[in-house]
Amino acid sequence: DAGVIQSPRHEVTEMGQEVTLRCKPISGHDYLFWYRQTMMRGLELLIYFNNNVPIDDSGMPEDRFSAKMPNASFSTLKIQPSEPRDSAVYFCASSNSYEQYFGPGTRLTVT
Amino acid sequence: ELKVEQNPLFLSMQEGKNYTIYCNYSTTSDRLYWYRQDPGKSLESLFVLLSNGAVKQEGRLMASLDTKARLSTLHITAAVHDLSATYFCAVDFGNEKLTFGTGTRLTIIP
């Protein structure tokens, strides 16, 4: 298996633009997690899904953030409109209920 | 509140020395994880500890879990340079969510 796949790996955008981050989990994993990592706040869980259903989105910072999982092999995290304080590394992880495996991350810079 | 605390936050040690990183957590759990992160990279799973008294070893790293004390340790034996990284512990408090510690940035000095 190729592991968790994320795209793009780097994204630079201007404030106010829409940003969409993509994730393909490991086949057979029924949990998918979106995290954000910054120097100031560390690693934060934004939202997670079980069997494509959002279970807990309490970590989503505000309404500008939304996440979907239309099927077992694809998820998106969207920020609209983006702001400079959204600059961070966004990780997707998937789990088989035993262990979480992290993707390579998307480094987002909002100018 | 669900909290996971690691110490130290920064650790600089010489090659060949031994040291321990500590991970305390706030409430009952018997599922604890250790991850490694190299600069600019993703998180790599090191150990999964699922019961009181669990001990796992991989090379120069050994992790243990004491659920009664709500404490896990990551012990480094005879450190070598390629162990330099940031180490995170993470706790599952029963809902499949992981709460991460702040991380320990380990630097091994030749």
Side-chain angles (χ1 to χ4, degrees), chain B residues 56-70:
Chain B
K56 291 196 174 179
Q57 183 163 4
E58 180 71 35
R60 300 175 187 273
L61 300 178
M62 183 174 71
S64 65
L65 178 61
D66 181 343
T67 58
K68 294 179 181 177
R70 300 175 190 163

Side-chain angles (χ1 to χ4, degrees), chain B residues 31-94:
Chain B
R31 295 179 69 172
L32 189 140
Y33 304 80
W34 284 96
Y35 286 87
R36 168 181 172 147
Q37 186 177 35
D38 292 297
K41 303 294 186 181
S42 185
L43 281 78
E44 172 192 355
S45 179
L46 293 175
F47 300 109
V48 180
L49 303 171
L50 298 179
S51 61
N52 186 41
V55 177
K56 291 196 174 179
Q57 183 163 4
E58 180 71 35
R60 300 175 187 273
L61 300 178
M62 183 174 71
S64 65
L65 178 61
D66 181 343
T67 58
K68 294 179 181 177
R70 300 175 190 163
L71 171 68
S72 179
T73 60
L74 180 65
H75 188 73
I76 303 150
T77 302
V80 293
H81 180 69
D82 64 5
L83 289 180
S84 296
T86 299
Y87 293 86
F88 292 92
C89 65
V91 178
D92 181 346
F93 288 109

